[in-house]
Amino acid sequence: MQAMHHRRTHCQLCNSSALTPILSLEPTPPANAFVTEAQRNIEQPCFPLDVFQCEHCHHVQLLDVLDPAVLFENYVYVSGTSPAFVKHFEEYAAIVCSRFNPSVGSLIVDIGSNDGTLLNFFKSRNYRVLGIDPAQVIAANATAAGIETLPAFFTPKLASEIVSTRGQAAIVSANNVFAHAEDLYSIAVGIADLLKPDGVFTFEVSYLVDVFQDVLFDTIYHEHMAYHAVGPLQRFFKRADLELFSVARVSSHGGSLRGYVQKAGGPHTFDGTVDKLINIERQLGLDQPATLRKFGNRIDLLRDQFKTVLQDLKKSGKSVAGYGAPAKATTLLHHFGIKPGTLDYIIDDSPLKQGLYSPGQHIPVVSSEILLRNTPDILLILAWNFAEIIMTNNAAFVKKGGKFLVPMPAVRLYP
Ligand SMILES: [Zn+2]
């Protein structure tokens, strides 16, 4: 298993080797490494989940890198399965089109395109679209469904192949993949090549300010190597001959940053948002390791509260099951010390996960139909950012006397 993992020694954005540890979470297996019935008795290797800050550019990052082939080639996350994300991407495409107004027929490329949900909204506006995603099955399915998707990692070589066969792109997007990839510099170089002179690269990443303020520690897992802030990103893009000219805070994944980037000296005007967010980051002290270490104390407090509530419930004989098996549940279940056997099962609405077992603890993942025949006393909502929707959709469970336990952003029992 050694080849699956290595520890970087240099900052992902500026290449400095001056890296300070700021937080250590419990080691976990890859957050999306669900296992089959046949594998459930085999212990999975866990990898360190330690967060560091670069002393030079202040970028917050993991240094432990898992082999992307292991992480992504059998990826089971499909964005189209979540109605909230479909709506998010529909609005995203509409904003990009109205703001930059690319001419009809222009090429739009999405890096880490998953099932093509975002590109679909561009295709319906008569743009040429191309997806890039290393998950082989998801890429093949997207292509079959009409969104041509190259089953590959994005590299400068691939960028120049796309330019020579299809021309440069008016829009290049990469959502959440910018936190996934190890070699961001080569991705940025490829993007600079792929963009038309007036083209725009748009990306979304989890935003350090939100992660910090709302204690979103469960967004920390190996696929997310980076917790981006505007200050370090601005310097990084400059190094790749690109310019971050506008940023916005958006609600996806509990709080994200959307950025717009052009080639250095491009035609799009700076609107002041970049400086504004850099100022907020400075005021919060997010360029200081001491501030970020306090984040660890807040996580410990949350863990203690959660453990007390769960132990009381278990002591009084209540049965507990989980709801939602997103990647972040792996971090939460490991860091909160949930032992195998504590949860009877985890309900997840994705058929791709049903029938499998959760990473590490190997809790069975099942469909919500189980609530009709094996109703627990308590449903722990692991996909807690969808807590409201889950509670609304499962009103019948509450009528039968069930309660929901929401672990984040504060520990609460409903009703
Ligand atoms: Zn750095």
Side-chain angles (χ1 to χ4, degrees):
M1 287 295 175
Q2 283 303 311
M4 282 178 69
H5 162 254
H6 69 272
R7 177 167 270 202
R8 280 188 297 119
T9 52
H10 293 79
C11 171
Q12 193 189 22
L13 292 189
C14 78
N15 225 24
S16 162
S17 60
L19 298 155
T20 306
I22 51 171
L23 174 68
S24 245
L25 297 175
E26 283 299 313
T28 70
N32 273 307
F34 292 83
V35 302
T36 62
E37 174 79 45
Q39 300 163 319
R40 69 178 298 199
N41 294 320
I42 305 166
E43 200 178 322
Q44 281 175 283
C46 288
F47 302 95
L49 207 48
D50 300 335
V51 185
F52 292 79
Q53 183 167 44
C54 172
E55 291 171 24
H56 181 67
C57 78
H58 311 303
H59 177 49
V60 175
Q61 57 203 296
L62 302 183
L63 298 179
D64 291 278
V65 181
L66 304 193
D67 180 353
V70 176
L71 285 181
F72 298 117
E73 278 172 13
N74 299 307
Y75 211 42
V76 288
Y77 174 71
V78 177
S79 48
T81 54
S82 157
F85 282 119
V86 175
K87 189 164 169 279
H88 172 75
F89 282 139
E90 184 175 12
E91 290 167 358
Y92 192 179
I95 287 169
V96 167
C97 289
S98 72
R99 183 161 175 180
F100 303 111
N101 201 17
S103 49
V104 170
S106 315
L107 178 64
I108 296 185
V109 177
D110 190 23
I111 301 168
S113 51
N114 206 271
D115 63 351
T117 302
L118 175 63
L119 287 177
N120 238 322
F121 292 113
F122 287 115
K123 196 185 175 196
S124 64
R125 289 179 162 84
N126 297 317
Y127 293 108
R128 288 183 294 133
V129 298
L130 178 67
I132 298 165
D133 201 297
Q136 308 279 335
V137 174
I138 290 173
N141 289 346
T143 301
I147 301 293
E148 187 186 355
T149 303
L150 307 177
F153 288 98
F154 183 77
T155 58
K157 185 169 171 277
L158 184 64
S160 68
E161 281 167 22
I162 295 170
V163 172
S164 62
T165 53
R166 299 160 204 256
Q168 285 178 310
I171 303 288
V172 176
S173 56
N175 299 304
N176 302 307
V177 282
F178 225 55
H180 292 324
E182 185 187 8
D183 189 359
L184 289 186
Y185 185 71
S186 90
I187 291 181
V189 167
I191 289 167
D193 245 16
L194 182 55
L195 280 180
K196 286 165 82 167
D198 63 346
V200 173
F201 167 56
T202 170
F203 65 91
E204 278 186 8
V205 286
S206 288
Y207 189 29
L208 181 65
V209 168
D210 294 299
V211 172
F212 178 77
Q213 285 188 317
D214 298 335
V215 202
L216 304 177
F217 79 90
D218 59 349
T219 62
I220 299 173
Y221 46 89
H222 298 100
E223 282 93 325
H224 289 171
M225 282 180 264
Y227 302 88
H228 286 290
V230 179
L233 278 174
Q234 186 194 41
R235 271 172 271 183
F236 165 74
F237 283 119
K238 234 178 230 169
R239 197 159 72 86
D241 244 350
L242 291 163
E243 281 173 351
L244 180 62
F245 64 91
S246 180
V247 287
R249 294 177 74 172
V250 291
S251 63
S252 39
H253 294 285
S256 296
L257 180 73
R258 181 182 294 164
Y260 298 107
V261 173
Q262 63 182 345
K263 290 188 178 195
H268 304 283
T269 48
F270 286 65
D271 59 5
T273 49
V274 171
D275 289 338
K276 199 174 139 198
L277 287 192
I278 289 176
N279 278 335
I280 289 175
E281 291 162 10
R282 276 204 201 114
Q283 278 162 17
L284 288 169
L286 293 180
D287 48 357
Q288 307 293 324
T291 314
L292 289 160
R293 286 200 187 100
K294 281 186 207 145
F295 181 59
N297 303 339
R298 290 161 66 203
I299 299 168
D300 291 347
L301 192 69
L302 196 63
R303 169 164 70 179
D304 295 346
Q305 287 168 345
F306 178 82
K307 277 186 158 176
T308 307
V309 172
L310 189 65
Q311 275 163 8
D312 288 352
L313 290 168
K314 291 300 272 188
K315 259 187 224 152
S316 58
K318 303 285 189 204
S319 57
V320 185
Y323 206 112
K328 62 182 174 190
T330 301
T331 299
L332 190 137
L333 291 172
H334 282 80
H335 196 67
F336 279 2
I338 309 270
K339 301 273 178 294
T342 308
L343 301 183
D344 296 344
Y345 53 79
I346 298 175
I347 295 167
D348 195 277
D349 296 330
S350 164
L352 293 172
K353 290 180 184 172
Q354 293 162 6
L356 297 176
Y357 295 82
S358 72
Q361 284 106 352
H362 298 175
I363 304 161
V365 181
V366 297
S367 90
S368 61
E369 279 165 27
I370 199 165
L371 289 176
L372 300 171
R373 43 179 213 281
N374 176 3
T375 316
D377 299 307
I378 310 290
L379 274 176
L380 164 63
I381 302 187
L382 296 164
W384 57 266
N385 47 329
F386 296 116
E388 259 176 55
I389 300 169
I390 290 170
M391 289 194 277
T392 308
N393 291 347
N394 291 280
F397 165 71
V398 176
K399 266 200 191 126
K400 283 207 254 171
K403 283 185 193 299
F404 290 102
L405 175 58
V406 182
M408 304 255 297
V411 184
R412 292 163 300 169
L413 256 182
Y414 291 99

